[in-house]
Amino acid sequence: MKRILFIALSSLLIMAGCEATNDVQKPAEKEVTNQVTPAQTTVSSLVMSDLKLSKGSNQLFDKAEQKTKVLYQLKLTIKNSSEDNILISAAQFKALTSEGKYIRNFPTLDELGQALEAQKKITEKIYFAPPKNQTIEKIIYEDKDRAAYQEWKVTSE
């Protein structure tokens, strides 16, 4: 009886050890950095520079969105070179995806949205959330009130 009990416990211990060593490890996720060109652009009295597109934290999504979308953060510096205040917001930016679809910015609390005072410079963030199977090909700024338009090409480094 002791022998059967010993064999049964040994078998359980071996099986438990095998399960612990068969963990499937996820490959390390490669950090995506993207170059946005041209690096500095003047668009109707606004000098936009230091544009950097990188993956953002998916914690801004709810659980369902985390499965289907990827969050990208566009960080940029904007200088108002005019003598007047200029209203600028993240809603004036959109992205063109690899499947040829335009997507609007993903609204967050810390995004761009203010009156930029004359001769002032700010650094702000804008977020985009394309589907997981798509990448961002272009960033587009369009202010219809001021007839301002600019697009930047996005390439992976």
Side-chain angles (χ1 to χ4, degrees):
M1 184 72 170
K2 288 182 181 180
R3 183 179 267 171
I4 294 172
L5 184 60
F6 177 74
I7 292 171
L9 288 175
S10 298
S11 298
L12 285 174
L13 187 59
I14 291 170
M15 289 185 343
C18 289
E19 283 186 29
T21 59
N22 285 339
D23 289 341
V24 177
Q25 294 182 355
K26 289 183 177 179
E29 196 170 302
K30 186 178 176 184
E31 179 63 31
V32 175
T33 55
N34 295 298
Q35 183 176 356
V36 182
T37 53
Q40 182 170 330
T41 310
T42 301
V43 185
S44 185
S45 302
L46 293 175
V47 179
M48 298 187 195
S49 61
D50 302 324
L51 284 86
K52 294 182 181 122
L53 185 68
S54 60
K55 279 197 174 180
S57 171
N58 280 350
Q59 293 177 351
L60 295 174
F61 291 143
D62 62 26
K63 298 262 185 218
E65 286 177 315
Q66 287 181 11
K67 293 177 183 177
T68 61
K69 296 181 179 181
V70 177
L71 190 69
Y72 286 92
Q73 172 186 294
L74 175 67
K75 190 173 181 181
L76 71 158
T77 301
I78 305 169
K79 181 181 180 195
N80 180 354
S81 61
S82 75
E83 298 299 321
D84 299 317
N85 293 350
I86 297 176
L87 293 174
I88 186 162
S89 74
Q92 294 168 323
F93 289 81
K94 60 185 174 183
L96 179 66
T97 68
S98 55
E99 291 194 2
K101 297 184 180 185
Y102 290 99
I103 58 169
R104 293 275 168 210
N105 67 302
F106 182 81
T108 63
L109 292 177
D110 67 339
E111 71 181 357
L112 172 66
Q114 63 196 54
L116 183 55
E117 295 177 22
Q119 303 300 319
K120 295 289 181 178
K121 182 191 258 187
I122 58 171
T123 299
E124 292 290 332
K125 300 173 194 164
I126 301 167
Y127 296 92
F128 298 99
K132 277 193 172 186
N133 62 344
Q134 298 178 35
T135 58
I136 295 177
E137 300 286 321
K138 287 183 181 179
I139 303 292
I140 298 154
Y141 167 74
E142 185 174 22
D143 184 350
K144 293 179 182 176
D145 294 335
R146 296 177 52 243
Y149 182 87
Q150 178 64 40
E151 57 182 54
W152 294 270
K153 186 176 180 183
V154 177
T155 55
S156 296
E157 289 183 338

